[in-house]
Amino acid sequence: QIQDANVNSVSWSYDNQYVVMAKSSTKTQELKVYSFDGTTLFLVNSYELGGHGYCVRWHPSQYLFAAGRSRGTGTELYIVKL
């Protein structure tokens, strides 16, 4: 459940075992990674972005995802290995 936040992007892993989302609120901007057992999502990890996360996408065959964020006047790209 997401309260008082905007979900900016969601992406499923290539095998549908994980989902990552970029979310922002007035207090935090973060990525959250969940595992999925077919019924329930379980939080695996979260990453503080320190800027507005606006896009996430999984690699097509590995447990890697790219996340873009804006910070100040620029943009940055992160690659995260699960």
Side-chain angles (χ1 to χ4, degrees), residues 30-57:
E30 62 188 341
L31 300 173
K32 289 193 174 275
V33 180
Y34 296 89
S35 64
F36 183 62
D37 68 0
T39 305
T40 306
L41 291 170
F42 301 94
L43 183 63
V44 173
N45 209 340
S46 61
Y47 304 90
E48 178 63 38
L49 287 175
H52 179 74
Y54 56 89
C55 187
V56 291
R57 292 292 180 270

Side-chain angles (χ1 to χ4, degrees), residues 3 13 21 24-25 27 31 51 67 70-71 79:
Q3 295 178 343
S13 63
M21 75 170 180
S24 59
S25 71
K27 297 178 184 176
L31 300 173
S70 61
R71 183 173 177 158
I79 306 297

Side-chain angles (χ1 to χ4, degrees), residues 69-76:
R69 77 169 186 180
S70 61
R71 183 173 177 158
T73 60
T75 58
E76 298 174 330

